[in-house]
Amino acid sequence: MLRKGYTDTPEDAVESMVAVHNFLNEGAWAEIIEWERRFAGGLAQGWQECSRGEQSSHPGVEVGVNHADVHPPRLSRFMGRPNDMTPKASMLQLLGWISPGSFGGEAPFDRHDWYVVRQKPNGDATEVRYVIDYYSGPPEPTGEPVFYLDVRPAIDRPTAAVERMMRWGGDIWWRASGGTMRESRA
């Protein structure tokens, strides 16, 4: 805490802050695992996972399950960047300024860049950068704090842009085209 410039943190608060920090890191890693589960085997496998929407994609399944050639990712390094807003967070802040009723909200309180080693089915490894925006929400009625994570591959390579479009676009298309209804009739 001192290294980051926080000198007024009470000692009795440090333990709970560490617990929240660990909880958020575990949540971020779970989201990265989900992205890797879908896309580590390539874009074709990613489309198979995403084309039926988020609910039909087996969320929470471990990387490699049903895909014997997909290896779990490995965190190679990470970097906290609390003073650098991601382009998406900047855009949301601008939209909130223009239309507060639709897009209003606080800016993320933190940002991390996590670098993950993705093992491809052919044995090659590549480093994938993920950006994570940390948002706080209104507390629960019990007073418990609420946090939201926005975890996604950084768009610093063409396939990352395609992965993001496939994941979000696949879900929207599945729901908008009545995919769940079609599946229930089959």
Side-chain angles (χ1 to χ4, degrees):
M1 298 294 294
L2 292 173
R3 183 174 51 87
K4 292 185 176 184
Y6 298 105
T7 57
D8 58 346
T9 305
E11 280 188 44
D12 61 340
V14 172
E15 188 174 330
S16 62
M17 290 174 73
V18 168
V20 168
H21 184 267
N22 290 342
F23 175 77
L24 292 174
N25 282 343
E26 289 171 11
W29 184 248
E31 289 289 325
I32 289 172
I33 291 290
E34 185 60 24
W35 279 96
E36 290 295 304
R37 185 185 68 76
R38 294 168 190 251
F39 294 105
L43 292 177
Q45 175 191 319
W47 178 246
Q48 286 179 336
E49 291 288 336
C50 296
S51 65
R52 296 182 59 231
E54 286 289 305
Q55 298 301 319
S56 301
S57 182
H58 310 88
V61 174
E62 291 184 34
V63 173
V65 174
N66 300 326
H67 302 287
D69 55 348
V70 177
H71 302 282
R74 180 178 50 85
L75 180 66
S76 63
R77 59 193 166 106
F78 66 93
M79 181 176 15
R81 299 175 62 182
N83 299 321
D84 298 332
M85 211 178 296
T86 62
K88 181 179 178 182
S90 298
M91 182 62 69
L92 289 173
Q93 288 301 295
L94 175 65
L95 290 171
W97 180 72
I98 294 169
S99 178
S102 300
F103 296 98
E106 292 185 27
F109 65 83
D110 200 1
R111 171 199 172 166
H112 286 180
D113 287 11
W114 289 19
Y115 297 82
V116 171
V117 176
R118 176 183 288 177
Q119 191 77 33
K120 296 181 181 177
N122 66 4
D124 292 342
T126 186
E127 189 172 70
V128 178
R129 180 170 65 104
Y130 284 89
V131 292
I132 306 163
D133 287 325
Y134 295 83
Y135 293 90
S136 58
E140 293 284 345
T142 60
E144 292 288 316
V146 174
F147 301 100
Y148 300 99
L149 301 177
D150 187 1
V151 181
R152 62 220 180 264
I155 302 182
D156 49 10
R157 53 193 173 78
T159 54
V162 173
E163 289 171 3
R164 286 169 69 165
M165 286 188 286
M166 286 169 66
R167 183 155 183 196
W168 293 314
D171 186 52
I172 290 169
W173 174 254
W174 179 256
R175 289 184 289 141
S177 68
T180 305
M181 184 63 72
R182 285 193 315 272
E183 197 170 73
S184 68
R185 290 182 186 166

